[in-house]
Every structure is written in structure tokens, then in C-alpha cells.
């Protein structure tokens, strides 16, 4: 059995599940921060196997879902200019205010190119020297360092037709905002695996120390998730909340110093607008002055337009774990993957999409 | 300089004649086509017929395990066969982009000739158009196929019954991943090959030797998940699929997890779903596994009454979830 299969092994998983059942006392509400976890929990069927007293809520951890309407409106406006907009595939269907998305913009003639990495976007710029190429920088700490490295490379090579519209967001400040919100009661946080590979364990310490929330960095295989749940329950029972790295095979406690260094060389912390959570100070990354010729917001004089909220959409409450997706009045009726009203229904990692797609 | 397709080749004049004679007739030669009339005369087909048409556009045109030419033959041959039919004749129409390299076209035509001879079908009529550069992407091919239905009654998506077994003829996702990974220039250590192949011979054996096949369907675009949903809806029954029993190659699994794709939604071009009474399942599987086109055939689930029109997946852990249809294209993820 290869290593990964071991983390899927039904017998090992059922064993942990038994331990969870014997440990649980009363109700336990846990939130997973990361959309990949949301999907993994549904895909593996874990949700249907957990005891009913374990309440699972999805958090804000899908970069597409937390992209604010004003940011979407901004990149849609940018796409109409004379340039090539390079983006990850996830964003292509996300509806902006008025329901328009990049797919529709493309059909109307906007030049949009799906890429798999920021480097591909830079390559696109090198291959099309006559065109301006803008990379749409949406993502957390997982993606921001490679985007930063790409900007550095563009600077070193003296590339003039490449820039990045940075809507990157940082996870710990958002967790702080959630933990500080008295309406949001969770007994445990399943911390994101991918983001943690970059930032390590340290930035989460405040969760246990200041807010007494048991928190576990977990992988995405069923065994990883079940183990994380068990650890959180045990911590709660003991009344000794900690931040635990249970994904050591991928996540070093100290994170990836080189990646962080590159990230903060090219970007600087800035206030950012989160869907559902509003403005969170220091939770975004803007292009640093030294690299400002690669800042699409400056190059194209791009501001965040004011927009009306989408009527009826409860994405904000879903992202905060205040309601489950099926409690949104539009869920699976007016809002479906074919006709999404909010990004939580579009993104492959969105909780509304996961509910719609997997829930029996 | 390689010779390229120019607009003259679609003119209908001498240049077109040359292209037809030196390329298509050379490779496709058969009595029906050789007559060179406006239409093909078919004398030997009587009784219920199965007919299907499909247009093929694929990027890249040559991919690991096949090319647009073989794909255009296999795709239509398989569709005709899924009605429980023996495919006999196909037509093919080309839309060529000005500038297409002649050698590439010849490779494609040769590949079509090989694929049709292997499938035992004849290309008996066709058409060629050349359009200005940029109007199409290199080459589009339409094929229409016709065949003789030999299963009685013909299999249909409506005919699934509670208690039926659901079989698939091999591993899922090979074609889709082969195309996607090469389109994006991501080659994996173990190269994934497209499964593009003709299924008609194997299907004929199943019809003759097993009989009473309720449903045959090839899970092409949208993959296994979408196709199962279509059939579940057509027959208004619940399908319960056991995830662990679905064969997926390790390289496909690995590539998919890297790109954030689900192999159950990836296209297959050489596999089929077969639904039949459970008592016949073992026999059908034996026949499939003894055929080069069905070596990895597997029993993957059952038809039941319950959540009608829905497909439920029993996961490896024993949990359950919905296996929904694919909505639009599958796109790789951000993180
Ligand atoms: S169901 Fe749709 S409208 Fe409701 S919260 Fe989710 S994405 Fe927003």
C-alpha cells in the first residue's frame, strides 16, 4: 500500500471513527477553514459517518468564495480593456454584480486565458510581446509566493507587458476576525493544509492562547480529517486548547521561510475586503512599491467600483458558518451550479456547491 | 517547407479533385466510395438501423494514444454500436483550416483508414471544405455512422430495471486526462494514454453470447458520473455505485489529484457502461475481460428503487454521497 492509500485505509479510518464516538461528550461544532477540506469531507462520505452530535460548519477558506463583489466587478471591468487577462480556471464562472462573469465577457470578445500558474501567465506575456498580460492574483498564502516569484522574475528579465491584479488574502487575520466575532461559536478549527505549508504553525497560536479554540492543521485524506477531529474533541474534553500540526508529512512547523520572504519582498500587507467579513485590516497583499510597475491596479488605474449587494444571497453568513448553505432561501432553487447567484455555488471548493453536489 | 492546405483545395475544382484522389481515395478506397457518385448507394442494410453523427474538435489534434482521425471513427462507431447494432458504414466530412500541414492531414487520414478497417466499417461518402486561417482550429471532422441493430429489443437508457447490475468495460478518465495534461503542457512521469478504441466487436459478442442487455452507453463527455445520471434519469431509478469498485489507473488518479480534477467526470473514448440482469453479470464480465477492449471490466453497482433519477456513491469508508452530473467544464483549481 502506498503512503497516500494508507491515509484512505477504511479500517484505520473506522478505528478513529470509533474513538471519536467514544470520546464525544455533548455537542461538538467544528469548522474547517479550507474549501478543499469541505469537499474532502463530503467526497469521502465522512459527513454521513460522523455522529449527529458533531456539527460540521464550513468556513471562509475558499479564495474564490471570499472574493468580494467589488473585486469581481473590478476584474470584469479590467477584462474589457485592451489586454489579455490570465486567470486560474476557478474564477471563470464566478458571477459579478448583475450576474456577468468572465465566461460571458469572453463570449463578448474579452481576451481571457486560463493558466495553471502565474509562470504560465508570464510566459504568455513573453510569447505575446505586443499585448499586455494581466494575471488575476486571487488566492491565499498558498499561491501568493509563486505569484511573487513570478513578479521577481519578470523584473529580473525586464518584462514590460506583464502585471498582476493582486486580490491575495491572508488566512490568519480572517481567523482572528472570526474568533473575535461573538456570534460565531465553534469548538474546534480544522486549519488549512496547503496554506500551512507556507506559514507553518506559529501564526495560528493566538487561536488557542487568546480565544481558547482547539485547532489542528490537517491533511486532506479521510484519515487526516478524522484524526484532526479526534484531536480537537480530546482537547475540548481536557479543557486544554492547543494548536497542533497533524500534517507533518507536508507541513513543517516553521513553514517555508524562503516562500514567505519572497512574498513579503514583492507584496506588502494591506487592508482587504472579504466577502461576508468586510474589511479586515492587514489581511491582503498589495504589490510593494519597488515592484509597482507590475501592479495592474496602478498600471491600469483600476479602482474597486461600488456595487449593489446581490439580493438574497447569504454567502456572508455561510462563510462565517452562521447558517448552512441549505438555509439560504436561494439554495438549489434560484441558485444552482448552472445558474449561480453567489461564488459559494460556483467554486469547486465552495460550501454551497459541495452541499448541492454531494449531500444526499 | 512542408506542403500546406490552401483555400484552393476546397474550391470544388481541379485542386479539390487532386486532394480527393491523392489523399482520401488512396487511403479510404472501397467499392462504395470508388463509385464517386453524389451519394453512397447502400444495398445491404435492411431492418432496424442505428444511426449517429458527431463532430470532432480536439486540441491537441495528435495526443498520446490517438489522434482526431481515429477518434472520429471510434466515437461514431461506438455510438452506433451502443444501440446494440453492428456499425457498417460511415461518412466523413472535413473542415480544414487554411495552412494545415499536408503531412499532418495525411497522418490523420491514414489513422482513420486504420481505425475503420479495424472496426470493420467502410467510409463510403464524404466532403471537404477549406476555410480561411483562424476560422477553425486546424481541423474539424464530422462522421455519421449507420449500422444494423441486432439486439432485440435494442438497449436503451429507459430499460434499466431494479436489481440490474451496472458494469463498466474498463478504467475511467484515461482519455480526458491524456488530453487535458497535454493541452496544458503538463506531462506526467507515467504518460497517460487515451483509451480511444472501437467497441463494436466486443459489444456484438455480448449481445450474441449474453443477450438481454438493458442499457449500453459510452461515458464520453461528462464522464462516468454524468452518463450514469443520464441513464438514472431516463429510467427514473436510483443507481448505487461502489466507489472502490470503479477501476481508475494510478497515473490517472495521481494526475487528477494534482490538477484538482475528478476522474469520474473525465471523458472516455473506449469504454462503455453495460446494465443487465444481475444473473448475467458474471458471464458478461468474463467475456469483457477476455477481450482486449475490456480487460479491466468491473461490476460497479446496482440499480434500485428509491431516490429516483439520482446516483448515490458509496465511498471507500462506507459513507454515502450524491454523485451528481457535471455542470459545464471541469476546471483545474487554485490551491
Ligand atoms: S446558495 Fe447561492 S445565494 Fe445562497 S449563499 Fe450560497 S451562493 Fe449565495
Amino acid at each position: 500500500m502506498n503512503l497516500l492509500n494508507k491515509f484512505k485505509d477504511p479500517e484505520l479510518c473506522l478505528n478513529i471513527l470509533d474513538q471519536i464516538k467514544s470520546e464525544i461528550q455533548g455537542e461538538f461544532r467544528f469548522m474547517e477553514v479550507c474549501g478543499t477540506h469541505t469537499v474532502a469531507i463530503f467526497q469521502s462520505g465522512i459527513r454521513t459517518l460522523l455522529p449527529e452530535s458533531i456539527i460540521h460548519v464550513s468556513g471562509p477558506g475558499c479564495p474564490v468564495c471570499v472574493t468580494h463583489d467589488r473585486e469581481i466587478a473590478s476584474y470584469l471591468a479590467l477584462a474589457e480593456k485592451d489586454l489579455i487577462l490570465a486567470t486560474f480556471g476557478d474564477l471563470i464562472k464566478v458571477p459579478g454584480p448583475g450576474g456577468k462573469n468572465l465566461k460571458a465577457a469572453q463570449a463578448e470578445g474579452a481576451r481571457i486565458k486560463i493558466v495553471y500558474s502565474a509562470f504560465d501567465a508570464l510566459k504568455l506575456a513573453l510569447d505575446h510581446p505586443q499585448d499586455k498580460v494581466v494575471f488575476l492574483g486571487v488566492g491565499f498564502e498558498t499561491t501568493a509566493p509563486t505569484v511573487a516569484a513570478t513578479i521577481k522574475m519578470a523584473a529580473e528579465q525586464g518584462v514590460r507587458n506583464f502585471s498582476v491584479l493582486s486580490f491575495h488574502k491572508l488566512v490568519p487575520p480572517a481567523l482572528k476576525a472570526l474568533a473575535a466575532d461573538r456570534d460565531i461559536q465553534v469548538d474546534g478549527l480544522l486549519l488549512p493544509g496547503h496554506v500551512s505549508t507556507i506559514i507553518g504553525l506559529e501564526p495560528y497560536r493566538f487561536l488557542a492562547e487568546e480565544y481558547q479554540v482547539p485547532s489542528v492543521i490537517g491533511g486532506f485524506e479521510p484519515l487526516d480529517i478524522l484524526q484532526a477531529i479526534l484531536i480537537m474533541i480530546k482537547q475540548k474534553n481536557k479543557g486544554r486548547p492547543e494548536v497542533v500540526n497533524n500534517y507533518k508529512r507536508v507541513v513543517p512547523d516553521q513553514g517555508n521561510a524562503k516562500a514567505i520572504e519572497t512574498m513579503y519582498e514583492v507584496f506588502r500587507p494591506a487592508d482587504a475586503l472579504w466577502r461576508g467579513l468586510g474589511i479586515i485590516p492587514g489581511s491582503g497583499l498589495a504589490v510593494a512599491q519597488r515592484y509597482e510597475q507590475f501592479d495592474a491596479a496602478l498600471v491600469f488605474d483600476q479602482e474597486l467600483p461600488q456595487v449593489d449587494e446581490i439580493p438574497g444571497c447569504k454567502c456572508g453568513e455561510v462563510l462565517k458558518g452562521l447558517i448552512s448553505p441549505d438555509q439560504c432561501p436561494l439554495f438549489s432553487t434560484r441558485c444552482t451550479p448552472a445558474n449561480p447567484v453567489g461564488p459559494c455555488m460556483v467554486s469547486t471548493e465552495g460550501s454551497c456547491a459541495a452541499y448541492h453536489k454531494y449531500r444526499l | 517547407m512542408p506542403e500546406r492546405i490552401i483555400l484552393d483545395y476546397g474550391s470544388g475544382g481541379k485542386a479539390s479533385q487532386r486532394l480527393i484522389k491523392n489523399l482520401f481515395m488512396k487511403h479510404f478506397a472501397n467499392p462504395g466510395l470508388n463509385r464517386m457518385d453524389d451519394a453512397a448507394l447502400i444495398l445491404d442494410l435492411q431492418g432496424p438501423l442505428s444511426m449517429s453523427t458527431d463532430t470532432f474538435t480536439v486540441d491537441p489534434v495528435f495526443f498520446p494514444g490517438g489522434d482526431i482521425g481515429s477518434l472520429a471513427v471510434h466515437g461514431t462507431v461506438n455510438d452506433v454500436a451502443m444501440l446494440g447494432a453492428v456499425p457498417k458504414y460511415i461518412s466523413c466530412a472535413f473542415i480544414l483550416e487554411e495552412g494545415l500541414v499536408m503531412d499532418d492531414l495525411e497522418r490523420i487520414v491514414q489513422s482513420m483508414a486504420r481505425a475503420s478497417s479495424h472496426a470493420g466499417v467502410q467510409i463510403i461518402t464524404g466532403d471537404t471544405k477549406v476555410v480561411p486561417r483562424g476560422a477553425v482550429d486546424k481541423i474539424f471532422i464530422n462522421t455519421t455512422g449507420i449500422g444494423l441493430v441486432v439486439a432485440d429489443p435494442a438497449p436503451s437508457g429507459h430499460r434499466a430495471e431494479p436489481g440490474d447490475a451496472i458494469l463498466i468495460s474498463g478504467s475511467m478518465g484515461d482519455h480526458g486526462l491524456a488530453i487535458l495534461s497535454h493541452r496544458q503542457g503538463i506531462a506526467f512521469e507515467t504518460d497517460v494514454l487515451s483509451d480511444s478504441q472501437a467497441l463494436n466487436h466486443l459489444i456484438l459478442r455480448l449481445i450474441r453470447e449474453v443477450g438481454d442487455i438493458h442499457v449500453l452507453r459510452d461515458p464520453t463527455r461528462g464522464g462516468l458520473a454524468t452518463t450514469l445520471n443520464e441513464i438514472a434519469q431516463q429510467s427514473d431509478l436510483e443507481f448505487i455505485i461502489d466507489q472502490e469498485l470503479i477501476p481508475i489507473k494510478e497515473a490517472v488518479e495521481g494526475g487528477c489529484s494534482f490538477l484538482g480534477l475528478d476522474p469520474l467526470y473525465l471523458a472516455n473514448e473506449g469504454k462503455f457502461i453495460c446494465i443487465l440482469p444481475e444473473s448475467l453479470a458474471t458471464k458478461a464480465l468474463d467475456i469483457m475481460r477476455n477481450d482486449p477492449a475490456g480487460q479491466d471490466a468491473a461490476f460497479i453497482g446496482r440499480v434500485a428503487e428509491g431516490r429516483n433519477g439520482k446516483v448515490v456513491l458509496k465511498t471507500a469508508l462506507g459513507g454515502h454521497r450524491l454523485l451528481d452530473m457535471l455542470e459545464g467544464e471541469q476546471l483545474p483549481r487554485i490551491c
Side-chain angles (χ1 to χ4, degrees), chain A residues 298-315:
Chain A
L298 284 181
V299 175
F300 298 96
D301 200 13
Q302 192 71 24
E303 292 201 352
L304 289 188
Q306 288 296 343
V307 298
D308 296 331
E309 272 189 24
I310 309 175
C313 176
K314 299 264 187 256
C315 282

Side-chain angles (χ1 to χ4, degrees), chain B residues 31-328:
Chain B
L33 191 66
N34 296 350
R35 293 166 64 104
M36 292 284 282
D37 286 326
D38 279 355
L41 184 64
I42 298 175
L43 297 167
D44 59 342
L45 295 188
Q46 264 167 27
L49 300 178
S50 157
M51 183 172 167
S52 179
T53 189
D54 206 343
T55 302
F56 296 82
T57 70
V58 56
D59 169 31
V61 169
F62 298 97
F63 47 83
D67 57 72
I68 190 169
S70 51
L71 187 67
V73 173
H74 295 153
T76 289
V77 161
N78 291 347
D79 281 347
V80 169
M82 292 307 144
L83 223 64
V86 178
K88 287 286 194 185
Y89 300 110
I90 62 177
S91 74
C92 78
F94 294 91
I95 299 179
L96 308 175
E97 184 186 20
E98 173 191 23
L100 176 70
V101 175
M102 185 62 93
D103 283 348
D104 284 350
L105 179 59
E106 179 144 25
R107 261 174 84 191
I108 292 167
V109 169
Q110 280 173 327
S111 161
M112 291 185 80
R114 257 196 314 275
S116 39
S117 114
H118 181 258
V121 294
Q122 291 182 347
I123 297 172
I124 45 165
T125 182
D127 178 49
T128 313
K129 294 283 183 303
V130 180
V131 295
R133 195 182 268 275
V136 293
D137 187 10
K138 296 184 200 72
I139 176 168
F140 291 178
I141 304 177
N142 171 275
T143 49
T144 298
I146 191 162
L148 207 53
V149 178
V150 289
D152 184 21
S156 157
H158 299 97
R159 291 192 48 221
E161 284 175 22
D164 277 358
I166 303 171
L167 315 180
I168 52 175
S169 68
S171 61
M172 290 292 112
D174 305 20
H175 177 78
L177 192 69
I179 296 288
L180 266 179
S181 58
H182 272 256
R183 189 179 301 165
Q184 301 304 335
I186 306 163
F188 298 109
E189 269 176 50
T190 7
D191 226 351
V192 181
L193 298 187
S194 163
D195 59 357
S196 177
Q197 62 178 333
L199 299 166
N200 54 321
H201 300 308
L202 174 54
I203 298 235
L204 184 60
R205 282 195 61 195
L206 288 174
I207 293 166
R208 294 242 160 99
E209 294 171 38
V210 182
D212 202 20
I213 293 171
H214 293 168
V215 184
L216 287 170
R217 184 74 60 88
D218 55 345
T220 52
R221 270 184 309 175
L224 179 68
T226 303
T227 312
L228 285 174
N229 271 282
E230 283 166 13
I231 307 171
Q233 281 169 18
Q234 274 181 290
S235 53
D236 200 26
L237 291 165
E238 176 179 330
F239 288 7
I240 303 166
I241 304 296
D242 196 329
Q243 182 168 32
E244 278 209 288
L245 302 179
I246 304 173
I248 295 167
K249 294 200 173 104
E250 220 173 285
V252 173
E253 185 108 51
C256 280
S257 83
F258 175 71
L259 294 171
L261 302 169
D262 185 339
L264 300 187
Y265 292 93
L266 288 178
N268 308 282
E269 292 292 349
K271 304 286 161 52
F272 62 94
I273 299 168
C274 172
I275 300 180
L276 76 184
E278 189 153 357
S279 55
L280 299 175
T282 316
K283 193 167 177 201
L285 280 173
D286 280 347
I287 292 174
M288 288 189 200
R289 288 176 184 154
N290 276 313
D291 190 289
Q295 279 165 356
D296 300 320
F299 168 95
I300 59 162
R302 288 189 175 81
V303 179
E305 263 165 318
R307 295 182 187 84
N308 285 5
K310 301 252 187 267
V311 181
V312 173
L313 193 73
K314 177 164 170 267
T315 69
L317 297 188
H320 289 82
R321 67 163 167 97
L322 210 60
L323 183 64
D324 201 8
M325 280 212 183
L326 175 62
E327 179 62 59

Side-chain angles (χ1 to χ4, degrees), chain A residues 150-193:
Chain A
T150 309
I151 290 180
K152 264 183 85 168
M153 192 187 278
E156 277 155 20
Q157 297 183 6
V159 181
R160 299 186 147 270
N161 63 330
F162 174 76
S163 60
V164 172
L165 187 64
S166 176
F167 292 142
H168 292 102
K169 292 185 174 57
L170 302 170
V171 167
L175 292 181
K176 200 170 186 91
L178 279 178
D181 190 330
R182 286 179 178 281
D183 294 337
I184 304 165
Q185 301 283 342
V186 288
D187 300 311
L189 277 171
L190 175 53
L191 297 172

Side-chain angles (χ1 to χ4, degrees), chain A residues 2 8 10 13-14 36 42-46 48-49 63-64 88-90 92-93 103 114 116 138-139 142-143 194 222 337-338 349 356-360, chain B residues 180 184 186 243-244 250 253 257 259-262 265 307 311-313 315-325 327-335:
Chain A
N2 74 26
K8 291 190 174 93
C13 290
L14 294 178
T36 315
F42 275 103
Q43 268 193 339
S44 57
I46 284 180
T48 55
L49 293 170
V64 177
F88 290 129
D90 311 41
I92 203 96
K93 288 191 223 156
K103 233 183 160 124
I114 293 179
Y116 284 70
V138 165
T142 336
T143 32
H194 296 145
E349 309 196 334
H356 181 91
K357 214 170 141 189
Y358 301 120
R359 204 185 46 137
L360 285 177
Chain B
L180 266 179
Q184 301 304 335
I186 306 163
Q243 182 168 32
E244 278 209 288
E250 220 173 285
E253 185 108 51
S257 83
L259 294 171
L261 302 169
D262 185 339
Y265 292 93
R307 295 182 187 84
V311 181
V312 173
L313 193 73
T315 69
L317 297 188
H320 289 82
R321 67 163 167 97
L322 210 60
L323 183 64
D324 201 8
M325 280 212 183
E327 179 62 59
E329 260 181 291
Q330 254 205 119
L331 295 167
R333 62 161 178 237
I334 283 187
C335 69

Side-chain angles (χ1 to χ4, degrees), chain A residues 42-56:
Chain A
F42 275 103
Q43 268 193 339
S44 57
I46 284 180
R47 243 187 98 99
T48 55
L49 293 170
L50 288 173
E52 270 178 28
S53 48
I54 297 187
I55 298 160
H56 155 231

